[in-house]
Amino acid sequence: MRKLLIAGNWKMNGSQSMALALCRDLVSGVAPLTGIDVLICPPFTLLHRVSEAVSSSIIATGAQDIDEHEKGAFTGQVSADMVRDAGGSHTILGHSERRVLYGENDERIAAKVHAALSRGLIPIVCVGESREQREGGHTDEVVLGQLDPVIGQCGIGAFSKGIIAYEPVWAIGTGLTATPDQAQEVHSLIRRRLADHDADIAARCRILYGGSMKPDNAAELLDQLDIDGGLIGGASLNEDDFLAICRAAADRAVPKSG
Ligand code: PGA
């Protein structure tokens, strides 16, 4: 039984006033919706304000990254405990922008997953191939090559709580979206790899799709058997778009079997 999760990744966008106005609209917009989970991941500086602003609603909050260390001389970094202290319950990890722009490798991402889980944060582990990798026929190998180190370092138990986001890099912020069939194929691959380790965890683990999910394509993506929600970038900054995606999820709130 998997409940759909719609998660917003604001990336490096927002201000105090924008965040409060957006949260006010989202809180009233999601009030009538049932059967789904909603998450917002603002920049660190807004996390506390956003957490307070949505506290009366079904909306949870999270970070976009954490450091793998607990505390100490790591200038510029933010720990899992700090995210929890600011009201967050989740953290995105291994986003392709972290991998590509900041050189995060699989080992470091797995260490962050471990840190998140051991400090009570739910990780959303991002995987996905570049355009060249897809065109070269390497999608499966790349995606599993990103997933396996997390399973190897943290154990399959990491995904009894942890969430996975399949985000084809070529679809992020580009307006290009994987077709429902292309996305379902990779989601099913991921679930089968989890099932090789533990069938129950595989059946329950939520696998989100991310990459230009918008109101006009959300429904057909969310209809796929192994797509359990969305990680939304651009469209999460617009209340009408984000709420339309949340409504598409709520319309499909009958839990998927598995
Ligand atoms: P996008 O971003 O929806 O703007 O493509 C998704 C993400 O990077 O999480």
Side-chain angles (χ1 to χ4, degrees), residues 9 11 95 97 167 171-174 210-214 231-235:
N9 172 10
K11 308 195 180 188
H95 190 282
E97 287 151 20
E167 298 210 309
I172 296 177
T174 57
S212 300
M213 191 186 266
K214 307 274 184 227
L231 181 53
I232 322 293

Side-chain angles (χ1 to χ4, degrees), residues 1-246:
M1 305 266 279
R2 300 187 305 273
K3 204 173 175 190
L4 297 180
L5 167 65
I6 301 300
N9 172 10
W10 288 6
K11 308 195 180 188
M12 198 172 74
N13 294 291
S15 62
Q16 305 283 335
S17 57
M18 163 277 189
L20 291 184
L22 182 51
C23 288
R24 204 174 315 119
D25 290 342
L26 295 180
V27 165
S28 58
V30 299
L33 304 183
T34 55
I36 58 165
D37 290 323
V38 181
L39 174 71
I40 297 176
C41 298
F44 290 126
T45 53
L46 297 173
L47 183 55
H48 187 234
R49 282 306 274 289
V50 167
S51 300
E52 283 187 339
V54 300
S55 62
S56 63
S57 75
I58 62 164
I59 303 174
T61 61
Q64 298 170 17
D65 188 30
I66 58 164
D67 191 78
E68 65 271 39
H69 300 94
E70 273 180 36
K71 61 177 177 175
F74 301 100
T75 300
Q77 297 299 96
V78 171
S79 71
D81 282 345
M82 292 170 178
V83 169
R84 294 211 40 194
D85 189 51
S89 52
H90 291 64
T91 182
I92 299 169
L93 292 174
H95 190 282
S96 65
E97 287 151 20
R98 301 293 323 165
R99 293 178 190 265
V100 173
L101 301 175
Y102 304 101
E104 290 194 13
N105 60 23
D106 294 324
E107 193 184 16
R108 178 136 194 245
I109 292 160
K112 291 182 178 202
V113 173
H114 181 77
L117 287 166
S118 63
R119 308 308 288 181
L121 274 187
I122 299 173
I124 300 177
V125 182
C126 302
V127 297
E129 82 289 359
S130 67
R131 181 199 291 266
E132 299 72 47
Q133 289 165 333
R134 174 163 282 268
E135 286 171 356
H138 302 302
T139 299
D140 294 9
E141 160 199 337
V142 169
V143 167
L144 296 179
Q146 292 169 337
L147 181 61
D148 286 344
V150 178
I151 300 175
Q153 264 176 257
C154 303
I156 188 66
F159 293 107
S160 61
K161 286 218 170 65
I163 295 165
I164 297 171
Y166 168 56
E167 298 210 309
V169 179
W170 49 272
I172 296 177
T174 57
L176 298 173
T177 322
T179 64
D181 285 350
Q182 281 174 326
Q184 166 58 26
E185 208 174 294
V186 179
H187 281 236
S188 152
L189 172 83
I190 293 170
R191 201 177 303 285
R192 278 182 276 122
R193 176 55 59 108
L194 298 176
D196 289 342
H197 296 270
D198 188 307
D200 278 354
I201 289 176
R204 279 185 282 115
C205 180
R206 289 194 282 198
I207 308 175
L208 313 181
Y209 170 80
S212 300
M213 191 186 266
K214 307 274 184 227
D216 61 359
N217 59 27
E220 53 178 7
L221 286 160
L222 295 172
D223 273 338
Q224 301 302 308
L225 183 63
D226 290 301
I227 299 185
D228 305 312
L231 181 53
I232 322 293
S236 72
L237 293 165
N238 176 294
E239 63 273 18
D240 293 333
D241 287 352
F242 192 65
L243 285 170
I245 297 171
C246 291

